[in-house]
Structures are given as structure tokens and as C-alpha cells.
Amino acid sequence: MNRSMTTHPHDAPAGARLFLAALNRIRTGHLELITPCNTRMIFGDAHSPIAASLTLHDWSACQLILRAGDIGFAEAYADGRIDTPDLTALLRLALRNEAALEPLVFGGALARCWYRLRHWLRPNTRQGSRRNIHAHYDIGNAFYQLWLDPSWTYSSALFDGDFSLPLQTAQQRKYQRIIDTLRLTSGQRVLEIGCGWGGFAEYAALRGIAVHGVTISPSQLEIAQRRVQQHQLQDRVWLELRDYRDLNGQYDAVVSIEMFEAVGERFWPDYFRTVAARLKPGAQALVQSITIDERHFERYRSSTDFIQQYIFPGGMLPSVERFKRHAERAGLQPLAHHAFGPDYAETLRRWDAQCRVHQPQIASQGFDQHFMRIWSMYLAYSEAAFDEGRTDVVQFLLQKA
């Protein structure tokens, strides 16, 4: 076994030497590191097929990562102080060695407290939700159109093991599974909490199902309403700009696709009470949510990560266990759940590939290199988490008592 090279380059500052010492703890796979002085170093088992590469262009990146963990890594990557030919492979290697690389993954205590406070100050109140959603979904429909599939679906597709499927087909398979699971039929009325750009509403309405969809993103609503008019579905689809907490009436079913992650833990009880109140007695809801492994939940909850700071302010993932527990407290009985995390990893790979293809058009819309590198980090970070089982995506079937 070829263990790591432990001698430090002579010009490495103190922070960099601490960074290199931490890399000496890699036990699963190996990392090839190229230093600013063009020294090549190998950490871990050089014969392992689990491999990644990292180039340090500036020693200051080491101190930034030690201070702020994955958030510092993202900032160093966005600034061009570090680079890698395969960002997902590097992040997967970090996850597999997380316990050994704890200072590099989670950062220092002071930075964790600061980022946690910053996250706490962006709660999903009615006003806060509009602000947080605007920060992500209202950056431009023209941007999302470049890399989403033609259904404008911004959630995990369902491949069912067949990764040869076109992405749009896999998204439609996901919508059909929702309809089949809820046993929806023509003429029934469905509430969709978080209708996005209208993908599910259009798909269901074309099969005779009436959909009332709500969103708090004006940009999304604009596209969704345009699709309704294009297919002349005004008699079956009603979409509006409204907070889910301001709804009334009862429906034959409730659907909510990857909106729960934006609710925030403080507001989980409100969300489940709303779902229960909007269902007719005995009716069912299907909620699709990204989840985090229960073993990692407390640590995740007590700090914040790159996604919460830069991509989804105010966001919070549940574990499967906590999702079910909160649902039960609101009078919703969990009947079944279907997990398909590998499908989300594949969905993210497709999105990333399209973003790369359309980089010139994205740049022409005014998005600079810093934004593009943050966005690449977001997609790779998420892909690695799904591939390594840190996160999952789950469809929960709930029934009102």
C-alpha cells in the first residue's frame, strides 16, 4: 500500500500545513493534490480505484476550508483558488472519509455558529418565504429553460432502474406514479402545494383531473399559466400566487413535490396541519421530499451547509423518521413510502450536462463565472450526497384519519 506523502512543501504557510496534516487521515480511496508550488502529493491508498484530484492555486484556500468547511470549499472553488477535473468524485471521496476529515468538512466552531445564526435569521414566515423563494426560483425563466427538460420539471425524475430513458419520459413516469398511487381519476379535485412551473398540473389535467396549484414564485406562475392557456386547460386548472398557509376548502387529494424542503423545521407543524385540513376525511396526500439520513440529522440541524447558505436559504431536510412523526401528530397516517435516491443522482447528472452545454448562453444572460462555479458546486454536491446515500428522495403516502 502506498501511503500518503507526509512532508510539507517548504513554502506552505501554517494554515496549509494543518490542511495537509488533515489529508493524511484519508483511509478510503486516495487524493492526488497539486500544490501552488506544483508539488504532487498523494494521500490515502494510491492503489485504490476510489480516486479524486484537487489543485490548489492559492494556499489561502486551505485556511478558508479549515475555517468554514464545505462552505469555505465552495467559496474557494467559486473564486478559482482551487480546481478539480471531477468535482463530484472529490466530494464523494470527502463523504467517504468524513469522520477523518471532520475539520475540513465542518469547519471551525466560530464559523459554524455564525452560519447557523445567519440561517436562523432567514425563517420561512410568509414574508421570509417569498424572499427565500425569490432568491432561487426568480433568477430567470430563461436560465432554467436552458437546462430543464421540456416539462420544466425541477425535481427528481423516476427512472426505475432504466437510465437509458430520456429525462422528460422519466419525469412523466414520476407524475404517473403519483396519480397511480393516489388512485386519481378524471373529475377529482387535487390541491398541489408548490406547483412550480406547472408540470404536474398540466400532466394531470390532460388526464381529466382538476388541479388547484399554488406557488409563491411569480416567475414560475407566469410559465405555468402560459402552459394552461396553451393546452386550453382553464376549465380544469386553477393556479395562483398564494402561501400554502392561506388556503381553505377540502380536496380529494393533496400533492406536494419537493416543496417540503423549503418549509423550514419551525414550520413543519403548520405544513402538516394544512395538508390535513385541506383533505376530505379519509383522503390521501402524496408528498415527495428530499430526506437526510437520521444518523446525520442532529449534526445537520445544529449547523448549516453550503446548500442552505448559497442555494436554498431557509431550507431544511427531514429524515424519514421525523417526517412521519410530524405527519402523525397532525392526524396524517403514513401508509407507505418509496425511496429512489439513485434516480436523483442521475437527474442531477443530466442537469449538469445541460448546464455545461449551454454555458455560453447562460453567460450571455449576465451570469458570471463565479455564479456558474457555485451552480456547478450545487449540482455536484447534491449528486455526491445521493450517490453516497447521505440524502435520499422519498414519496410519502399519507392518509387523513
Side-chain angles (χ1 to χ4, degrees), residues 51-122:
S53 176
L54 174 65
T55 298
L56 289 172
H57 295 300
D58 191 319
W59 285 121
S60 65
C62 300
Q63 187 61 41
L64 184 56
I65 296 169
L66 281 166
R67 180 181 65 82
D70 65 334
I71 298 170
F73 179 91
E75 292 172 351
Y77 182 75
D79 291 343
R81 283 184 266 184
I82 59 175
D83 216 336
T84 176
D86 190 336
L87 187 53
T88 304
L90 180 60
L91 294 168
R92 291 186 71 177
L93 182 70
L95 283 174
R96 293 190 180 195
N97 290 276
E98 181 183 79
L101 299 178
E102 183 169 333
L104 308 185
V105 175
F106 298 105
L110 189 61
R112 289 200 303 270
C113 289
W114 157 244
Y115 286 118
R116 180 61 185 167
L117 176 62
R118 186 182 177 196
H119 181 66
W120 184 80
L121 291 173
R122 298 188 287 188

Side-chain angles (χ1 to χ4, degrees), residues 18-61:
L18 288 172
F19 178 84
L20 298 176
L23 294 181
N24 273 321
R25 304 183 191 123
I26 290 176
R27 293 294 178 267
T28 302
H30 74 270
L31 172 69
E32 178 188 56
L33 182 74
I34 308 298
T35 73
C37 53
N38 208 32
T39 301
R40 178 178 177 270
M41 307 178 74
I42 301 295
F43 298 90
D45 178 5
H47 301 292
S48 171
I50 303 169
S53 176
L54 174 65
T55 298
L56 289 172
H57 295 300
D58 191 319
W59 285 121
S60 65

Side-chain angles (χ1 to χ4, degrees), residues 114-378:
W114 157 244
Y115 286 118
R116 180 61 185 167
L117 176 62
R118 186 182 177 196
H119 181 66
W120 184 80
L121 291 173
R122 298 188 287 188
N124 284 303
T125 59
R126 283 170 173 79
Q127 182 179 355
S129 291
R130 289 192 293 272
R131 182 172 58 249
N132 290 337
I133 290 298
H134 173 76
H136 187 83
Y137 292 100
D138 292 334
I139 59 177
N141 288 329
F143 167 68
Y144 286 103
Q145 187 177 23
L146 285 174
W147 52 273
L148 291 177
D149 71 274
S151 72
W152 287 78
T153 303
Y154 191 28
S155 57
S156 179
L158 181 64
F159 292 92
D160 273 338
D162 185 1
F163 292 129
S164 67
L165 288 176
L167 183 56
Q168 184 175 10
T169 302
Q171 295 289 11
Q172 291 171 340
R173 178 177 286 191
K174 184 254 309 284
Y175 290 147
Q176 188 60 50
R177 186 184 190 281
I178 292 172
I179 290 172
D180 293 342
T181 301
L182 290 170
R183 300 189 296 278
L184 297 176
T185 57
S186 179
Q188 287 189 301
R189 293 178 65 246
V190 175
L191 170 66
E192 185 181 10
I193 300 176
C195 65
W197 285 281
F200 173 78
E202 177 187 292
Y203 186 88
L206 288 172
R207 285 148 185 81
I209 300 162
V211 180
H212 176 197
V214 295
T215 178
I216 55 174
S217 166
S219 297
Q220 289 186 326
L221 183 64
E222 176 190 349
I223 296 296
Q225 289 180 328
R226 188 186 305 168
R227 296 170 70 172
V228 169
Q229 295 168 359
Q230 178 184 348
H231 292 282
Q232 299 181 342
L233 298 171
Q234 295 94 325
D235 60 329
R236 271 170 275 171
V237 180
W238 173 32
L239 305 176
E240 62 173 336
L241 206 64
R242 182 182 289 197
D243 190 287
Y244 70 94
R245 288 161 286 202
D246 296 329
L247 290 162
N248 49 48
Q250 291 190 321
Y251 299 80
D252 297 308
V254 171
V255 171
S256 188
I257 305 172
E258 291 182 35
M259 177 271 182
F260 186 78
E261 303 87 332
V263 170
E265 185 178 10
R266 175 178 155 193
F267 300 97
W268 288 352
D270 292 344
Y271 176 89
F272 285 114
R273 279 195 295 266
T274 297
V275 172
R278 302 286 72 84
L279 286 171
K280 294 177 180 178
Q284 296 179 347
L286 189 142
V287 180
Q288 179 171 314
S289 175
I290 300 172
T291 63
I292 188 166
D293 192 306
E294 174 64 24
R295 293 172 298 173
H296 303 288
F297 183 85
E298 285 300 340
R299 178 140 206 179
Y300 164 73
R301 173 204 238 171
S302 65
S303 60
T304 63
D305 62 9
F306 154 73
I307 297 291
Q308 292 168 316
Q309 291 296 321
Y310 278 93
I311 308 299
F312 293 109
M316 181 71 176
L317 304 182
S319 66
V320 170
E321 294 81 355
R322 289 165 199 261
F323 183 99
K324 290 182 176 180
R325 195 179 310 148
H326 278 79
E328 288 173 336
R329 289 173 184 167
L332 295 167
Q333 180 186 358
L335 299 180
H337 71 273
H338 175 67
F340 51 110
D343 295 43
Y344 217 147
E346 177 63 21
T347 303
L348 287 153
R349 281 189 282 272
R350 305 283 184 99
W351 289 342
D352 184 55
Q354 286 302 303
C355 282
R356 293 177 188 278
V357 167
H358 294 292
Q359 273 193 355
Q361 295 95 316
I362 293 172
S364 71
Q365 293 177 9
F367 296 103
D368 61 14
Q369 191 66 18
H370 184 277
F371 172 87
M372 283 307 305
R373 288 174 74 86
I374 283 286
W375 200 262
S376 295
M377 174 74 181
Y378 154 53

